[in-house]
Amino acid sequence: MRKGAKRKAASHEQEEKQVKASSSSQENLNNNNRKPAPKAKRAKTFKPQPEPEYFEDKRNLEDLWKAAFPVGTEWDQLDSVYQFNWNFSNLEDAFEEGGKLYGKKVYLFGCTEPQLVPYKGENEVICIPVIVAVESPFPPSDKIGINSVQREAEEIVPMKQMKMDWVPYIPLEKRDSQVDRLKSQIFILSCTQRRVALKQMKIDRLKKYEYCLPYFYQPLKEDELEQSTEVQIIFPAEPKPVFCEFDWELDELDEFTDKLIEADELDKDQKDAFKDFVKEKVREAKKANRQAREARRKALEEMSEETKAAFQNMRFYKFYPVHTPDTPDVSNVKAPFINRYYGKAHEIL
């Protein structure tokens, strides 16, 4: 091979090496300058925000009807009274400006009336709560009457004997204030008897609560009992007692007794004992009537003109719950009668 040819071959190989080195160097430079590919961003997930809850503001007298003890209601029926969210907005409105009881001193007590009323397309016997409001400058009474068909004699006892008393009602907006600094105009008949203690109570004592009636005596008018000529008779006969009413002005005792024997209500052998029993009950009733008239006469003599005026202006209001979609409609069973002591309400709402 010629020398010139060798030089050319060597020169060609050297050029190829330089080209490869240059190419490799450029590739490394490009790799160094190349930025890493950006990572894909995660899509943000948004949790659905719960809709804000709105609570109605509590009304100032919202629990007034519940605060008044339902006198005479059987203990095992109390829960059924509160099974509905009864609405007594009519009672609350009465104490607002322009209402019948606004700015007046009022004494409230509760009671219940079992009535057949429509509810959700059916007629049901519902224990309806009722509130009686007595507009008076002083408590209408500090006594409770205990009476029922099953009891032989009526009892009039101090409220405190049955753990009841008139206590001031504090509206919601004033419950942070000291009670003794408040000049309360609303008083409720409250009962402090605890339900958990009922199991240890004797049956007779327990039943007394069920026979309780708020007592009221109106000295300005003659009581119905003073005028009554009837006596309730519960004669302890065998095999069952005799229950009846005897009017000493309208009934003739021999004829009355014979009718009971004919109806198999009284055994013939017990005729004389029954007649003696009735005569004794009539004597007791006449004596009680005389004493009641004398007590009323004496009370009137000792009563101030201011107190007489208060009794004359005293008014009774009877509140039934307002109908709502969630409660039974009681509009057709409203009645003015309160109880045998108070008589009828001046107004029903």
Side-chain angles (χ1 to χ4, degrees):
M1 183 182 288
R2 290 180 299 171
K3 290 183 180 178
K6 288 182 180 179
R7 282 198 298 271
K8 280 185 179 181
S11 176
H12 182 68
E13 289 176 3
Q14 189 174 357
E15 286 178 2
E16 284 182 353
K17 288 180 180 180
Q18 288 177 349
V19 170
K20 287 181 179 179
S22 175
S23 176
S24 176
S25 176
Q26 186 65 37
E27 187 176 342
N28 290 336
L29 183 61
N30 290 339
N31 288 338
N32 291 335
N33 291 337
R34 188 179 295 149
K35 293 181 179 179
K39 293 182 179 179
K41 292 183 178 180
R42 289 184 179 179
K44 290 184 178 180
T45 57
F46 294 95
K47 294 182 179 179
Q49 295 295 321
E51 293 185 9
E53 292 186 62
Y54 297 96
F55 297 97
E56 290 186 12
D57 291 336
K58 285 194 172 182
R59 302 184 302 276
N60 196 29
L61 304 178
E62 185 174 347
D63 63 350
L64 176 56
W65 77 271
K66 289 184 179 179
F69 182 68
V71 184
T73 305
E74 296 181 12
W75 290 106
D76 58 3
Q77 292 296 314
L78 282 179
D79 291 336
S80 70
V81 175
Y82 305 112
Q83 66 176 315
F84 297 104
N85 186 25
W86 298 104
N87 184 318
F88 277 89
S89 56
N90 53 347
L91 175 64
E92 299 169 38
D93 293 342
F95 287 97
E96 298 295 333
E97 188 170 356
K100 294 182 181 296
L101 303 176
Y102 178 70
K104 298 176 180 178
K105 184 170 283 189
V106 179
Y107 294 82
L108 303 175
F109 63 84
C111 55
T112 52
E113 296 180 358
Q115 297 283 1
L116 185 67
V117 294
Y119 180 61
K120 293 185 176 180
E122 295 183 3
N123 288 331
E124 294 185 30
V125 176
I126 304 292
C127 207
I128 302 168
V130 177
I131 299 297
V132 175
V134 181
E135 180 189 333
S136 171
F138 47 76
S141 176
D142 61 353
K143 294 180 173 58
I144 285 287
I146 304 174
N147 198 8
S148 74
V149 176
Q150 291 81 9
R151 298 178 68 84
E152 289 188 18
E154 173 190 48
E155 287 184 78
I156 308 296
V157 301
M159 283 182 176
K160 292 185 178 180
Q161 186 173 315
M162 301 304 293
K163 296 189 176 182
M164 298 183 196
D165 202 0
W166 298 108
V167 299
Y169 171 79
I170 311 301
L172 289 173
E173 65 183 18
K174 295 182 179 179
R175 289 187 184 171
D176 292 334
S177 306
Q178 292 185 9
V179 175
D180 56 352
R181 293 184 180 179
L182 295 172
K183 294 183 179 179
S184 182
Q185 292 289 93
I186 307 175
F187 294 83
I188 55 172
L189 185 56
S190 175
C191 179
T192 58
Q193 175 60 54
R194 295 182 305 150
R195 292 179 68 180
V196 294
L198 297 177
K199 293 180 180 178
Q200 285 76 40
M201 192 178 291
K202 292 182 179 179
I203 294 296
D204 185 59
R205 169 73 175 174
L206 184 66
K207 287 293 182 183
K208 278 187 176 183
Y209 280 95
E210 299 175 7
Y211 302 145
C212 281
L213 291 174
Y215 179 77
F216 177 71
Y217 176 64
Q218 172 55 281
L220 301 185
K221 67 177 183 179
E222 193 173 17
D223 189 273
E224 288 183 9
L225 293 179
E226 296 174 35
Q227 306 173 43
S228 175
T229 57
E230 288 185 352
V231 286
Q232 300 285 334
I233 302 297
I234 306 177
F235 179 65
E238 294 294 338
K240 63 178 182 178
V242 177
F243 295 89
C244 58
E245 289 182 357
F246 179 79
D247 189 316
W248 66 73
E249 286 191 353
L250 300 179
D251 296 323
E252 198 281 318
L253 185 53
D254 279 319
E255 182 183 345
F256 184 86
T257 306
D258 289 339
K259 286 183 179 179
L260 288 175
I261 294 172
E262 291 173 10
D264 291 330
E265 294 290 331
L266 178 69
D267 191 85
K268 190 175 181 179
D269 295 338
Q270 296 178 312
K271 180 177 180 177
D272 291 338
F274 176 78
K275 288 170 61 177
D276 291 340
F277 185 85
V278 172
K279 288 176 183 177
E280 179 61 28
K281 291 298 178 183
V282 169
R283 280 192 293 269
E284 290 175 3
K286 287 181 176 180
K287 181 181 179 181
N289 287 3
R290 287 194 301 271
Q291 290 175 339
R293 284 192 289 269
E294 178 61 25
R296 184 170 61 85
R297 184 190 62 79
K298 187 177 180 181
L300 284 173
E301 289 177 354
E302 298 174 352
M303 189 178 294
S304 68
E305 292 302 318
E306 184 181 2
T307 303
K308 286 181 182 178
F311 273 109
Q312 287 173 342
N313 298 323
M314 199 175 286
R315 291 185 66 80
F316 309 147
Y317 299 90
K318 193 176 181 185
F319 291 86
Y320 283 86
V322 176
H323 179 52
T324 67
D326 300 327
T327 57
D329 183 2
V330 304
S331 57
N332 291 328
V333 295
K334 293 182 180 181
F337 185 74
I338 299 172
N339 65 34
R340 63 191 299 269
Y341 304 117
Y342 278 84
K344 294 180 180 181
H346 295 92
E347 192 170 345
I348 307 174
L349 296 104

